[in-house]
mmCIF file of all heavy atoms in Angstrom:
data_model
loop_
_atom_site.group_PDB
_atom_site.id
_atom_site.type_symbol
_atom_site.label_atom_id
_atom_site.label_comp_id
_atom_site.label_asym_id
_atom_site.label_seq_id
_atom_site.Cartn_x
_atom_site.Cartn_y
_atom_site.Cartn_z
ATOM 1 N N GLY A 675 230.605 11.781 2.031
ATOM 2 C CA GLY A 675 230.078 10.674 2.843
ATOM 3 C C GLY A 675 228.620 10.479 2.536
ATOM 4 O O GLY A 675 228.007 11.304 1.849
ATOM 5 N N PRO A 676 228.038 9.378 2.997
ATOM 6 C CA PRO A 676 226.672 9.051 2.596
ATOM 7 C C PRO A 676 225.626 10.064 3.061
ATOM 8 O O PRO A 676 225.748 10.634 4.146
ATOM 9 C CB PRO A 676 226.418 7.686 3.259
ATOM 10 C CG PRO A 676 227.589 7.376 4.101
ATOM 11 C CD PRO A 676 228.644 8.414 3.910
ATOM 12 N N VAL A 677 224.639 10.268 2.192
ATOM 13 C CA VAL A 677 223.473 11.083 2.568
ATOM 14 C C VAL A 677 222.381 10.101 2.995
ATOM 15 O O VAL A 677 222.085 9.139 2.272
ATOM 16 C CB VAL A 677 222.988 11.936 1.376
ATOM 17 C CG1 VAL A 677 221.753 12.747 1.768
ATOM 18 C CG2 VAL A 677 224.098 12.858 0.891
ATOM 19 N N LEU A 678 221.809 10.337 4.168
ATOM 20 C CA LEU A 678 220.798 9.429 4.714
ATOM 21 C C LEU A 678 219.409 9.853 4.233
ATOM 22 O O LEU A 678 219.094 11.051 4.226
ATOM 23 C CB LEU A 678 220.851 9.476 6.245
ATOM 24 C CG LEU A 678 220.081 8.391 6.985
ATOM 25 C CD1 LEU A 678 220.762 7.031 6.807
ATOM 26 C CD2 LEU A 678 219.961 8.716 8.471
ATOM 27 N N LEU A 694 219.123 12.017 -5.350
ATOM 28 C CA LEU A 694 220.465 12.153 -4.742
ATOM 29 C C LEU A 694 221.461 11.224 -5.424
ATOM 30 O O LEU A 694 222.598 11.616 -5.708
ATOM 31 C CB LEU A 694 220.385 11.851 -3.241
ATOM 32 C CG LEU A 694 219.739 12.950 -2.385
ATOM 33 C CD1 LEU A 694 219.304 12.399 -1.034
ATOM 34 C CD2 LEU A 694 220.704 14.130 -2.195
ATOM 35 N N ALA A 695 221.038 9.982 -5.701
ATOM 36 C CA ALA A 695 221.948 9.032 -6.357
ATOM 37 C C ALA A 695 222.306 9.535 -7.747
ATOM 38 O O ALA A 695 223.464 9.483 -8.163
ATOM 39 C CB ALA A 695 221.301 7.652 -6.429
ATOM 40 N N GLY A 698 224.985 11.934 -7.952
ATOM 41 C CA GLY A 698 226.323 11.422 -7.651
ATOM 42 C C GLY A 698 226.617 11.241 -6.174
ATOM 43 O O GLY A 698 227.750 10.936 -5.800
ATOM 44 N N HIS A 699 225.597 11.399 -5.326
ATOM 45 C CA HIS A 699 225.818 11.194 -3.887
ATOM 46 C C HIS A 699 225.672 9.717 -3.547
ATOM 47 O O HIS A 699 224.883 9.000 -4.157
ATOM 48 C CB HIS A 699 224.797 12.002 -3.073
ATOM 49 C CG HIS A 699 224.914 13.480 -3.287
ATOM 50 N ND1 HIS A 699 225.963 14.228 -2.800
ATOM 51 C CD2 HIS A 699 224.138 14.343 -3.992
ATOM 52 C CE1 HIS A 699 225.816 15.480 -3.172
ATOM 53 N NE2 HIS A 699 224.715 15.585 -3.896
ATOM 54 N N GLU A 700 226.444 9.311 -2.541
ATOM 55 C CA GLU A 700 226.261 7.978 -1.980
ATOM 56 C C GLU A 700 225.006 8.070 -1.098
ATOM 57 O O GLU A 700 224.921 8.996 -0.277
ATOM 58 C CB GLU A 700 227.480 7.668 -1.121
ATOM 59 C CG GLU A 700 227.714 6.230 -0.816
ATOM 60 C CD GLU A 700 228.898 6.085 0.137
ATOM 61 O OE1 GLU A 700 229.878 6.853 -0.011
ATOM 62 O OE2 GLU A 700 228.805 5.257 1.024
ATOM 63 N N VAL A 701 224.043 7.158 -1.281
ATOM 64 C CA VAL A 701 222.784 7.271 -0.531
ATOM 65 C C VAL A 701 222.584 6.052 0.365
ATOM 66 O O VAL A 701 222.692 4.907 -0.086
ATOM 67 C CB VAL A 701 221.565 7.398 -1.481
ATOM 68 C CG1 VAL A 701 220.269 7.536 -0.683
ATOM 69 C CG2 VAL A 701 221.737 8.589 -2.416
ATOM 70 N N ALA A 702 222.311 6.319 1.644
ATOM 71 C CA ALA A 702 221.951 5.259 2.585
ATOM 72 C C ALA A 702 220.461 5.400 2.870
ATOM 73 O O ALA A 702 220.007 6.465 3.294
ATOM 74 C CB ALA A 702 222.757 5.407 3.878
ATOM 75 N N GLY A 718 219.123 3.487 -6.603
ATOM 76 C CA GLY A 718 220.467 4.078 -6.473
ATOM 77 C C GLY A 718 221.024 4.079 -5.064
ATOM 78 O O GLY A 718 222.145 4.555 -4.847
ATOM 79 N N ALA A 719 220.288 3.532 -4.074
ATOM 80 C CA ALA A 719 220.843 3.469 -2.707
ATOM 81 C C ALA A 719 222.007 2.475 -2.698
ATOM 82 O O ALA A 719 221.909 1.401 -3.290
ATOM 83 C CB ALA A 719 219.768 3.030 -1.724
ATOM 84 N N THR A 720 223.097 2.845 -2.032
ATOM 85 C CA THR A 720 224.229 1.917 -1.964
ATOM 86 C C THR A 720 224.285 1.243 -0.599
ATOM 87 O O THR A 720 225.023 0.289 -0.405
ATOM 88 C CB THR A 720 225.564 2.649 -2.223
ATOM 89 O OG1 THR A 720 225.598 3.808 -1.401
ATOM 90 C CG2 THR A 720 225.705 3.053 -3.677
ATOM 91 N N GLN A 721 223.525 1.756 0.352
ATOM 92 C CA GLN A 721 223.536 1.187 1.698
ATOM 93 C C GLN A 721 222.093 1.135 2.206
ATOM 94 O O GLN A 721 221.354 2.115 2.062
ATOM 95 C CB GLN A 721 224.366 2.129 2.585
ATOM 96 C CG GLN A 721 224.805 1.551 3.887
ATOM 97 C CD GLN A 721 225.574 2.617 4.709
ATOM 98 O OE1 GLN A 721 226.152 3.565 4.158
ATOM 99 N NE2 GLN A 721 225.562 2.470 6.001
#
Side-chain angles (χ1 to χ4, degrees):
V677 178
L678 192 70
L694 286 162
H699 298 289
E700 199 184 322
V701 181
T720 49
Q721 196 183 335

